[in-house]
Amino acid sequence: MPSIDRQAPPPAASQPDILAALGWRPFFADQVEAGSNDGAQPVRVVEAHRGALHVLGEGVDRIIPGRADVVVGDWLLLDPVEAAEPATSRLLERKSLIKRRAPGLERQVQMIAANIDTAFIVSSCNQDFNVARLERYIALAFEAGVTPVVLLTKADLCDDPAAYVEAAQAIAHLAPVLVLNARLADAQSTLATWCAPGQTVAFLGSSGVGKSTLANTLAGNEAIETQAIREGDAKGRHTTTRRQLHLPAGGYAILDTPGMRELQLTGAEAGVAEVFADLHALAGQCRFNDCQHRTEPGCAVRAGVGHGSIENARLERWMKLVAEDKHNTANLTPGKANTAATRKADRRMRKKSRS
Ligand SMILES: Nc1nc2c(ncn2[C@@H]2O[C@H](COP(=O)(O)OP(=O)(O)OP(=O)(O)O)[C@@H](O)[C@H]2O)c(=O)[nH]1
Ligand SMILES: [Mg+2]
Ligand SMILES: [Zn+2]
């Protein structure tokens, strides 16, 4: 079994109301009553590897065999009768699931985390900031059923943080945008609305933006390793290498994640439509159902650009995300032929999605 460091999440099993802190709630409890799982114990997966799961529950702090259908954040019912083979435990229905196209050449969907309530989309007030990337993350969160909140870190290192806030607000009108210094304890009160008892929050974003720093600030300690970014280009050093749920005092859960190099959407049509709701609505008025919004007559979207009501760069970002999501959704379907043409299209998509 690959090693999972049991000490990594703080000694949560000693907390009196561990299940509540882990996010146990009627949505999950109702699934237990409905089934015949007498004596089964709910546990939450706080870390998942291919070969092993670290689960916590009331009086439970165990490493059990891994399974491909389980991701960090999942709830399992550990059946005591099957204690020797807990891999057969029942996986409870998820409240939310964050997923993307797996990075690299594998043509697969990768689950990132389950049962997250709030996704803190973290970016810094420096070269890391990128509106197209923010839109991607927000679409991902909407699709997953998770509330997105944009956090702009390193305000203290920036002469004009207001310019970043304004740029983020312009595209992320559906998500609150907060600017902060991740290293200051003030961040606790700034984020208190979302870090309420029983909630699970996740930090997502590129390497070096301060996800682990924020997790430490919220917990009031330095338990998670952090590392200075490179001076020249402000890029992070990929310090965090695994997704882990942490339980700070305060009765909620924090998921810290490794910085993502690449975030390609898949199965996210509704999420993209929500981020670009105005363009999506206009597209419904185009003369042709399959309008590509390029040169077709009767294109309501192009007309909007012509009137100056739609920014061309934003239109391009939307079309790119729609095309990428369509491509991945079609090509990650099991059984789809792995042809030279799809591989070539894949490479094009991957190149475009790096930002
Ligand atoms: N001055 C200042 N430094 C910050 C802030 N946020 C993060 N840092 C610093 O930025 C560096 C990177 O922070 P990390 O928390 O390791 O970044 P991360 O997002 O967890 O990075 P990965 O684990 O690589 O994905 C550390 O040196 C932090 O102290 C901030 O708001 N202000
Ligand atoms: Mg980190
Ligand atoms: Zn059109």
Side-chain angles (χ1 to χ4, degrees):
M1 207 182 283
S3 68
I4 287 189
D5 178 4
R6 266 173 186 265
Q7 284 156 11
S14 59
Q15 290 186 11
D17 215 350
I18 174 90
L19 278 189
L22 282 165
W24 187 245
R25 59 184 77 168
F27 178 85
F28 304 112
D30 290 350
Q31 298 181 46
V32 182
E33 281 155 20
S36 54
N37 294 282
D38 291 346
Q41 244 194 320
V43 292
R44 193 159 190 202
V45 177
V46 295
E47 194 178 343
H49 283 312
R50 211 179 285 269
L53 306 175
H54 184 182
V55 297
L56 291 182
E58 209 164 322
V60 182
D61 183 350
R62 286 180 64 178
I63 308 292
I64 64 172
R67 8 190 298 198
D69 61 335
V70 171
V71 67
V72 68
D74 266 328
W75 281 97
L76 292 172
L77 285 186
L78 260 193
D79 193 331
V81 183
E82 300 182 61
E85 276 294 337
T88 57
S89 296
R90 189 177 139 210
L91 170 64
L92 294 186
E93 189 193 326
R94 297 165 176 137
K95 187 183 161 284
S96 66
L97 176 65
I98 301 178
K99 60 184 183 343
R100 66 168 167 178
R101 181 188 173 138
L105 293 172
E106 278 176 284
R107 191 162 297 132
Q108 277 176 5
V109 177
Q110 180 192 38
M111 297 189 292
I112 294 176
N115 302 317
I116 302 297
D117 296 300
T118 301
F120 288 125
I121 298 165
V122 190
S123 183
S124 300
C125 300
N126 61 19
Q127 293 103 296
D128 174 74
F129 185 86
N130 176 311
V131 284
R133 183 156 4 92
L134 282 185
E135 283 165 342
R136 249 168 218 281
Y137 276 99
I138 295 169
L140 181 86
F142 280 151
E143 184 68 41
V146 171
T147 303
V149 176
V150 175
L151 301 186
L152 301 177
T153 57
K154 311 200 182 185
D156 54 308
L157 302 178
C158 169
D159 290 337
D160 186 16
Y164 289 93
V165 176
E166 205 175 298
Q169 274 170 342
I171 55 109
H173 52 284
L174 295 168
V177 177
L178 306 169
V179 63
L180 40 72
N181 175 347
R183 303 211 275 200
L184 287 188
D186 298 12
Q188 282 186 350
S189 50
T190 310
L191 306 183
T193 309
W194 300 277
C195 300
Q199 292 287 298
T200 301
V201 303
F203 290 112
L204 305 177
S206 309
S207 176
V209 295
K211 299 178 297 297
S212 303
T213 304
L214 278 164
N216 282 339
T217 299
L218 289 174
N221 60 39
E222 299 289 322
I224 309 173
E225 192 192 344
T226 64
Q227 203 178 172
I229 58 176
R230 298 198 305 223
E231 294 231 332
D233 57 5
K235 288 221 184 291
R237 297 167 195 268
H238 292 277
T239 308
T240 305
T241 54
R242 48 201 187 169
R243 299 190 285 270
Q244 263 184 337
L245 263 189
H246 302 269
L247 296 176
Y252 65 99
I254 298 175
L255 180 73
D256 187 25
T257 67
M260 287 197 232
R261 289 186 171 88
E262 181 183 320
L263 174 59
Q264 272 203 47
L265 300 181
T266 179
E269 190 184 348
V272 174
E274 208 170 332
V275 173
F276 295 93
D278 52 342
L279 295 178
H280 184 75
L282 269 184
Q285 296 168 24
C286 293
R287 184 177 307 160
F288 301 110
N289 270 343
D290 60 349
C291 184
Q292 300 297 304
H293 323 303
R294 294 275 176 207
T295 54
E296 289 89 340
C299 175
V301 175
R302 281 282 152 205
V305 175
H307 296 146
S309 57
I310 294 168
E311 190 202 342
N312 197 47
R314 185 160 166 270
L315 171 64
E316 291 296 330
R317 295 199 300 270
W318 172 61
M319 295 206 297
K320 182 171 145 185
L321 275 193
V322 168
E324 171 187 309
D325 180 62
K326 249 194 201 133
H327 169 84
N328 284 336
T329 306
N331 289 292
L332 306 190
T333 310
K336 183 78 191 175
N338 186 6
T339 62
T342 32
R343 281 196 298 276
K344 194 169 166 200
D346 262 12
R347 282 195 295 274
R348 263 201 318 271
M349 284 295 168
R350 175 156 294 116
K351 217 166 151 190
K352 280 191 191 167
S353 72
R354 289 213 172 102
S355 47

